[in-house]
Amino acid sequence: MTDDSSGSSSAEGAFVESSLARIDTVDVADQTAVSSLLEELAAEAEERGMDALAERARAAAERVRAEPEIAAQELDAVRGGVALADAFSDLGPPPAKAPAPYPRPAPTPEPTQETTQEVAHDGPQAETKSDAPETSDPRIVMFCDEGLEQLDTVESALLSYEKHPGIGPINEAFRALHTLKGNSGWLGLSELETAAHALEDLLDRVRSGEEDAASFKPSVVLERVDVLRASIRALRAGPQSERGDAGAGDGQDAAAKLRRAAASVRVDVHKLDSVFDEVGELITAVAAVIKSPDLEGQDLPNFQVAASQLTRVAQSLHDSAAEMRMVPLESLFRKAARLVRDASADLGKDIALHIDGADIEVDRSIVETLTDPLLHLIRNAVDHGIEPAAVRSAGDKPEQGNLYLGAYHEGTEVVVSVRDDGRGIDVDRLLAKARAAGLVPSGEEPTRQEVLEFLFERGLSTTAEVSKYSGRGVGMDIVRSQVEAIRGTVRVETTKGQGTIFYLHLPMRLAMIDTMVVRAGTAIYAFPLLSIAASTQIGDVKRTQSPELGTLVQMRGRTMPLVDFSDLYETHVPSDSDLVLVVDCGTQELCLRVDEIVGQRQVVVKPLGPYLGNVRAIIGCSLLGRGDLCLIVDPRQFPSILCRQTRRVAS
């Protein structure tokens, strides 16, 4: 029996290779050649019991004969079907559908705990985005969104099973695949139905005891889940010709049934973003009306009452729109769990991941931007942060390493932390690398925290070996730049031999912030209110000149540099104003000359746009009540700007 199975697998492999080769070499411009090839593939697939692939190839041949210009699309669709069939071939065909081993699911998706409005978002789930236009068929859109969620459920359940084997996670994964299979068949997506059915059958054998649980390998299912996920994403983005024709005749009725059956309402994320942008414009318009110069000197008590009510309503509307954009970090943390599992197995390490705070919510765009930086930190920790078991054992550590991924609220921020109990960062080695790279002037002894900042210099790495996960000195600079792009900061703490902690301080929301608005020359700037420690006059304050540090002043019991906007931007002329802001730049404070303090304002952040490029320390712009344009400043970038201009900021 084993030999027959092996021979069958070999034959199927030869068929797959031959099919892909013929698809790649056929002349797409030759309608007859393409349709003939598709008919041949349909016949061969049917002989091998690949009914779904046979149906797809035969339907594709008919469409090519009717519309020769879509030959390339149809070939791509069949190529995907061949690849999908190959990925699931070693699981064997699913049981016969009549009689079905379990009842066919109703078209209604599994009810969720949420029965109120639900906002769909593509961000954290989509690792890559296709440039192809998305399908407009509401059935396919809804199916794909729910299918990706069901695959996430399967993945999460199997990762849980690996840590705590039991029937519970198997049942959870089985139910999700059962729903996916049913919805696929209902919409006529026969290949996805067949693939999901094969995995469902495998899990059913495990949970029924037909297959020994000890021999069950979740990796087999996880690999197929990745294939299914890629197929559904391609369906979500690709041409509609990629799906089967079965069930298409009652498309409108099916869509109506599905919408009525759904327990939640899904809103396209682009529509949600559009509403949110319009609400921001509304708040700006309200401010323009209330602050209009035409109202100066007018005694309008009724207008003031109405304006106050309008402001409250607009602010409440903005808060509601912002709340709809909030998503939990759970989806991002789930990706981290899969990464730790796969990377640790690949590197031969035993690493336990501990997650806390996955239910904390942040703005959707923050999750999208945070994905790459967070996964990079985790790869670094798994690869060369946590030692191999033999090294840990020799150092009186448990052989199993630990990685802690957490999130918590701190004031108006959310802090995401990545902590490992590994070898820690060799600060002396890092300093030596920085000196060799010319980052530290001869004779200068930077502080420990200043040395750790060199981790974020491009091309600098303390790892002797380069792997596919880390060690090239590329990535930590991107981690910082991407976090700072969403008004966040990165902080690192480390103890040699005990481990390292990275703290990512992030705003909960991006679109609106409280600021201090100032004027410098003819330009208007808005500083995040939390970055302003004080504002004062320095007319009588003692000043000291330093050839290296410039002008220093004694403020708040400390010596800090006195900086002018002309030190930051060449377009400004030096100012002789004695009015200064004491600005918190993250690692130190400085005094910044300004000509006028306009006052505190809540501003809507707008991007500068690609045509302006990357303006140093500017994170966006906003319109004030009277129509003045102000630039929103990120003062945490001031020290690096001043350093690049051969001026160091005192600690």
Side-chain angles (χ1 to χ4, degrees):
M1 187 159 211
T2 303
D3 292 338
D4 292 342
S5 176
S6 176
S8 175
S9 298
S10 176
E12 287 183 359
F15 165 71
V16 168
E17 291 182 7
S18 170
S19 300
L20 294 176
R22 284 182 285 171
I23 291 174
D24 290 337
T25 56
V26 69
D27 183 1
V28 179
D30 188 341
Q31 171 195 352
T32 303
V34 172
S35 58
S36 297
L37 172 61
L38 292 173
E39 290 287 2
E40 291 173 8
L41 294 178
E44 294 174 17
E46 196 168 38
E47 289 177 2
R48 289 166 172 78
M50 300 179 178
D51 295 338
L53 179 58
E55 291 176 11
R56 168 175 287 198
R58 191 166 286 114
E62 294 176 2
R63 284 192 288 266
V64 169
R65 282 191 286 269
E67 300 179 70
E69 64 274 9
I70 66 171
Q73 293 180 353
E74 295 299 335
L75 284 172
D76 284 341
V78 174
R79 181 188 288 107
V82 172
L84 189 63
D86 179 44
F88 287 83
S89 61
D90 60 330
L91 294 183
K97 291 185 179 180
Y102 3 82
R104 296 278 298 188
T108 304
E110 282 194 340
T112 61
Q113 293 179 351
E114 298 182 4
T115 57
T116 57
Q117 183 176 14
E118 176 182 319
V119 177
H121 55 92
D122 299 329
Q125 283 78 13
E127 296 174 6
T128 59
K129 296 182 180 179
S130 172
D131 293 331
E134 293 187 349
T135 176
S136 59
D137 189 330
R139 300 171 302 151
I140 300 301
V141 171
M142 188 173 292
F143 165 78
C144 291
D145 290 339
E146 293 183 353
L148 291 173
E149 291 178 4
Q150 287 150 2
L151 291 178
D152 286 342
T153 299
V154 174
E155 183 177 81
S156 179
L158 293 176
L159 292 176
S160 175
Y161 176 84
E162 286 188 324
K163 293 182 178 179
H164 308 289
I167 195 62
I170 296 295
N171 283 334
E172 183 179 5
F174 174 85
R175 286 192 295 269
L177 285 169
H178 187 63
T179 301
L180 176 62
K181 179 202 70 174
N183 291 344
S184 300
W186 181 52
L187 289 176
L189 303 170
S190 52
E191 291 178 9
L192 287 174
E193 179 189 20
T194 300
H197 200 168
L199 290 181
E200 179 194 36
D201 183 53
L202 173 61
L203 294 179
D204 189 47
R205 293 199 301 270
V206 174
R207 69 181 195 146
S208 65
E210 184 180 337
E211 181 169 322
D212 185 11
S215 63
F216 170 63
K217 296 181 179 179
S219 299
V220 173
V221 181
L222 288 172
E223 290 172 1
R224 271 62 177 197
V225 165
D226 290 340
V227 175
L228 279 172
R229 185 181 285 119
S231 298
I232 291 178
R233 284 179 181 151
L235 176 66
R236 181 68 162 80
Q240 296 198 31
S241 61
E242 289 190 10
R243 61 185 180 87
D245 289 334
D250 58 346
Q252 297 301 321
D253 292 340
K257 291 178 182 178
L258 188 56
R259 285 194 294 271
R260 286 195 300 269
S264 61
V265 177
R266 294 182 178 272
V267 180
D268 184 89
V269 70
H270 302 298
K271 295 180 181 179
L272 184 64
D273 288 343
S274 177
V275 169
F276 191 73
D277 289 341
E278 292 298 328
V279 171
E281 294 295 339
L282 173 63
I283 290 178
T284 300
V286 169
V289 171
I290 295 175
K291 301 293 183 180
S292 172
D294 295 339
L295 299 176
E296 291 184 0
Q298 301 289 330
D299 184 18
L300 304 170
N302 292 333
F303 174 81
Q304 295 298 332
V305 171
S308 177
Q309 175 66 12
L310 178 61
T311 301
R312 285 196 296 270
V313 171
Q315 184 60 53
S316 176
L317 180 60
H318 175 272
D319 292 342
S320 298
E323 195 67 27
M324 288 191 293
R325 289 172 56 94
M326 302 289 279
V327 296
L329 290 167
E330 180 183 5
S331 58
L332 178 56
F333 284 10
R334 188 187 299 123
K335 285 185 179 181
R338 178 68 184 274
L339 173 61
V340 171
R341 183 249 181 210
D342 291 347
S344 58
D346 189 24
L347 296 168
K349 297 181 179 181
D350 183 10
I351 299 177
L353 176 64
H354 309 271
I355 292 179
D356 184 38
D359 58 337
I360 287 181
E361 295 186 337
V362 296
D363 190 278
R364 178 183 62 84
S365 57
I366 291 178
V367 174
E368 291 177 345
T369 305
L370 187 61
T371 299
D372 288 342
L374 184 64
L375 296 184
H376 183 84
L377 292 176
I378 290 174
R379 278 192 293 267
N380 276 356
V382 172
D383 190 8
H384 56 79
I386 298 177
E387 315 94 325
V391 177
R392 293 178 63 87
S393 181
D396 294 329
K397 286 184 176 181
E399 291 188 358
Q400 184 182 61
N402 292 282
L403 185 61
Y404 301 86
L405 178 59
Y408 56 91
H409 290 285
E410 188 175 273
T412 60
E413 294 182 325
V414 169
V415 181
V416 176
S417 62
V418 180
R419 175 168 68 93
D420 67 70
D421 64 349
R423 54 171 58 94
I425 297 171
D426 189 334
V427 178
D428 293 334
R429 180 177 174 81
L430 179 59
L431 177 57
K433 288 273 190 177
R435 290 189 188 280
L439 299 176
V440 182
S442 177
E444 184 175 316
E445 292 298 331
T447 65
R448 177 183 175 85
Q449 192 59 43
E450 288 175 336
V451 173
L452 289 176
E453 291 296 308
F454 292 130
L455 284 171
F456 303 99
E457 292 290 337
R458 184 173 181 83
L460 199 65
S461 176
T462 59
T463 304
E465 297 181 358
V466 175
S467 73
K468 68 178 183 180
Y469 294 105
S470 57
R472 295 174 177 84
V474 177
M476 291 303 294
D477 60 318
I478 298 176
V479 168
R480 165 165 282 180
S481 64
Q482 289 186 331
V483 171
E484 290 181 346
I486 52 175
R487 303 201 309 273
T489 58
V490 184
R491 182 166 57 90
V492 57
E493 296 177 0
T494 186
T495 302
K496 189 174 181 179
Q498 297 184 22
T500 302
I501 312 176
F502 284 91
Y503 296 98
L504 308 181
H505 292 256
L506 309 164
M508 283 187 291
R509 297 175 180 173
L510 289 179
M512 181 173 286
I513 58 173
D514 294 318
T515 66
M516 176 71 76
V517 179
V518 302
R519 180 179 61 82
T522 59
I524 300 177
Y525 297 93
F527 286 77
L529 195 58
L530 293 177
S531 69
I532 304 300
S535 60
T536 186
Q537 297 280 345
I538 59 169
D540 299 328
V541 174
K542 182 180 178 181
R543 308 178 192 186
T544 305
Q545 290 297 130
S546 168
E548 294 182 355
L549 305 177
T551 303
L552 304 177
V553 294
Q554 293 288 335
M555 292 289 296
R556 298 163 60 88
R558 294 191 298 277
T559 300
M560 60 183 69
L562 177 62
V563 177
D564 192 278
F565 266 95
S566 62
D567 297 323
L568 300 167
Y569 302 107
E570 296 178 356
T571 55
H572 280 271
V573 296
S575 172
D576 57 1
S577 172
D578 287 335
L579 179 62
V580 299
L581 296 179
V582 180
V583 182
D584 182 0
C585 298
T587 56
Q588 64 272 312
E589 292 181 340
L590 55 79
C591 288
L592 179 64
R593 289 184 189 268
V594 297
D595 294 314
E596 178 189 357
I597 295 179
V598 178
Q600 295 184 22
R601 297 286 189 274
Q602 192 174 61
V603 300
V604 178
V605 182
K606 296 290 185 181
L608 292 178
Y611 53 91
L612 286 179
N614 182 23
V615 182
R616 295 177 302 177
I618 301 297
I619 58 176
C621 62
S622 185
L623 285 177
L624 300 182
R626 297 187 177 183
D628 297 321
L629 178 68
C630 73
L631 298 176
I632 303 171
V633 179
D634 181 7
R636 292 166 301 190
Q637 298 184 37
F638 285 173
S640 61
I641 294 175
L642 295 169
C643 285
R644 284 196 293 269
Q645 296 179 355
T646 67
R647 179 174 178 177
R648 293 189 64 247
V649 177
S651 297

